[in-house]
Amino acid sequence: MEDRRIQQNFVVLCRELNVERILPYLLQERMVTRDEYEELMKLGSSREKRQRLLLILPRKGKDHFVKFFHCLVWSGQADLARKLPGLDVDKVPSCPHQIEPEPEPQDLGQNSAQLFQMFHHFLHAQQQQLPPNQAGEWNQPPPGYGPSHPAGN
């Protein structure tokens, strides 16, 4: 008998599943191929990724839902897993894979301003250390390099 639990929970999964977080686990469990992984990551929206993944998984064998459920818990989506009937989150074995979570994107607004200021101070300090005839001449080739030098062509 075909396991239809993914199809039966399609709406909630399509709304809440974080594909980027679960994909590394699905790849390790051989629930998706490297080509499928790359195809999913190239899709534009999160909704497209969810829909495509949920169409791929039911074709992955009779125990696809159990493996998917385990990967869901391992990827930190136990709250979503609890919404799916039939399996117990507390009975999921510990993850056999060492997968580093993707770093969360950070707001670079204030950090970029600090980096720019540090870079500006660095450039200013470098200019102060140059001999007087080279200060400010950043676009000039080094002495000995030019149109007549083999490396300058």
Side-chain angles (χ1 to χ4, degrees):
M1 184 173 133
E2 183 181 342
D3 190 338
R4 300 187 48 81
R5 288 181 277 190
I6 287 183
Q7 291 92 332
Q8 291 166 348
N9 294 283
F10 192 85
V11 173
V12 70
L13 289 169
C14 219
R15 189 174 52 237
E16 299 179 33
L17 177 63
N18 185 320
V19 173
E20 287 84 3
R21 284 174 50 191
I22 198 171
L23 267 181
Y25 297 92
L26 293 172
L27 186 63
Q28 289 295 316
E29 288 292 308
R30 294 188 171 97
M31 292 291 294
V32 294
T33 65
R34 174 60 65 186
D35 289 342
E36 290 167 333
Y37 179 94
E38 290 173 6
E39 173 193 339
L40 286 161
M41 293 309 291
K42 287 179 186 175
L43 292 175
S45 72
S46 295
R47 185 167 185 81
E48 287 177 299
K49 291 176 185 178
R50 289 183 201 120
Q51 289 174 342
R52 180 72 182 121
L53 177 61
L54 296 174
L55 292 174
I56 290 171
L57 291 175
R59 297 180 285 157
K60 298 297 180 169
K62 63 180 180 178
D63 61 346
H64 73 274
F65 184 77
V66 173
K67 287 183 179 181
F68 169 71
F69 189 86
H70 290 175
C71 292
L72 199 56
V73 173
W74 297 335
S75 68
Q77 300 181 73
D79 289 342
L80 176 55
R82 284 185 182 88
K83 296 178 182 181
L84 307 177
L87 295 173
D88 186 352
V89 170
D90 297 323
K91 293 184 180 174
V92 172
S94 58
C95 182
H97 311 292
Q98 294 289 69
I99 297 176
E100 294 295 322
E102 291 290 322
E104 293 292 325
Q106 49 182 303
D107 178 22
L108 294 179
Q110 188 174 9
N111 290 342
S112 62
Q114 291 171 339
L115 287 171
F116 177 77
Q117 187 176 24
M118 289 171 49
F119 183 69
H120 177 74
H121 287 300
F122 171 78
L123 286 178
H124 181 71
Q126 292 298 316
Q127 284 181 331
Q128 298 304 317
Q129 293 176 5
L130 291 173
N133 65 341
Q134 291 184 10
E137 297 178 6
W138 293 98
N139 293 327
Q140 300 298 320
Y145 284 84
S148 62
H149 192 279
N153 292 334

